[in-house]
Amino acid sequence: QVQLQESGPGLVKPSETLSLTCVVSGYSISSGSFWAWIRQPPGKGLEWIGSMYHNGNRWYNPSLKSRVTISVDKSKNHFSLELTSVTAADMAVYYCARDVKGGTHDYWGQGALVTVSS
Amino acid sequence: QSALTQPASVSGSPGQSITISCTGTSSDVGGDKYVSWYQQHPGKVPKLMIYEVSNRPSGVSNRFSGSKSGNTASLTISGLQAEDEADYYCCSQSIGSVIFGGGTKLSVL
């Protein structure tokens, strides 16, 4: 059973960097698949942030590309998200997910609510 | 990139069938076999219901079906049940990225 779990600060100050980690269990990141971050502002829809292939290739949402970095630590079987210069518009539930191909997200984490406030 | 276009809401009575549309462009929905659909109940994690336009993951009811014509994909739910009341999102691969639809709220009257 593949499981994903997000972790990281639930409160980030405006202009600072949001950092989240997704620990994967039941499947080795090195085995394949894409690993994605998706967010959902309160009361709104899903927004794809970006994803990384197991070989390190990365794709980012063009609207966030200048502020986003997704990285992977295969030794710990986890991948991470960094979003710089956050504003209130970045307040959302952040999900990590496995993307088996082309946006097919079959396993999701429980989500991490990140609030942006001073 | 713009979100795929979905109706904001649809409704139906128990036992009826409904269809949710998802319109994109030839660069995403129209040009690719990678269209997926997700169900999300309030406060819950999205659940994959359909992948590659019309395939159901193991465990998903056969009341859920997907199709595509041109730049528009569709999710059909037959034999509506109260538990189907949820938000539904389509998703497609685009050039170098992934795009979600804006979401559709399904009400079972």
Side-chain angles (χ1 to χ4, degrees):
Chain A
Q1 176 82 6
V2 180
Q3 293 184 318
L4 296 89
Q5 180 66 58
E6 306 89 349
S7 64
L11 179 64
V12 181
K13 292 182 169 59
S15 80
E16 295 193 344
T17 297
L18 178 160
S19 297
L20 294 171
T21 295
C22 180
V23 176
V24 180
S25 57
Y27 188 88
S28 172
I29 286 179
S30 300
S31 296
S33 293
F34 296 80
W35 302 93
W37 286 98
I38 295 157
R39 70 181 183 180
Q40 185 171 35
K44 296 188 177 181
L46 300 170
E47 180 182 32
W48 179 78
I49 299 171
S51 63
M52 164 179 273
Y53 194 46
H54 70 96
N55 65 2
N57 289 343
R58 300 169 178 83
W59 293 264
Y60 297 132
N61 185 321
S63 67
L64 298 170
K65 188 175 183 178
S66 63
R67 299 194 292 130
V68 173
T69 301
I70 295 175
S71 59
V72 64
D73 186 332
K74 293 181 182 180
S75 67
K76 296 181 180 179
N77 214 43
H78 74 210
F79 62 106
S80 300
L81 169 71
E82 284 197 343
L83 180 66
T84 62
S85 304
V86 299
T87 70
D90 295 310
M91 194 155 51
V93 174
Y94 285 75
Y95 294 102
C96 59
R98 185 177 79 166
D99 176 357
V100 289
K101 190 99 184 260
T104 301
H105 304 97
D106 60 349
Y107 289 98
W108 296 64
Q110 286 302 302
L113 174 62
V114 177
T115 300
V116 177
S117 175
S118 55
Chain B
Q1 59 183 15
S2 300
L4 304 175
T5 301
Q6 298 181 232
S9 63
V10 298
S11 63
S13 299
Q16 288 185 333
S17 295
I18 63 94
T19 297
I20 299 172
S21 61
C22 170
T23 301
T25 69
S26 58
S27 295
D28 38 66
V29 174
D32 205 270
K33 70 175 183 177
Y34 294 110
V35 177
S36 51
W37 289 90
Y38 301 85
Q39 176 192 65
Q40 186 181 34
H41 288 106
K44 301 298 185 181
V45 177
K47 176 185 177 183
L48 178 67
M49 304 301 284
I50 296 287
Y51 67 97
E52 292 180 15
V53 176
S54 59
N55 295 300
R56 276 188 311 275
S58 174
V60 172
S61 171
N62 59 9
R63 298 186 298 104
F64 291 82
S65 62
S67 62
K68 190 181 80 165
S69 177
N71 296 337
T72 298
S74 298
L75 172 70
T76 298
I77 309 173
S78 59
L80 268 181
Q81 299 180 0
E83 67 212 47
D84 299 331
E85 185 162 290
D87 294 325
Y88 291 85
Y89 296 91
C90 61
C91 179
S92 175
Q93 177 176 259
S94 182
I95 301 171
S97 69
V98 169
I99 306 175
F100 281 97
T104 298
K105 181 175 181 61
L106 169 61
S107 298
V108 180
L109 305 174

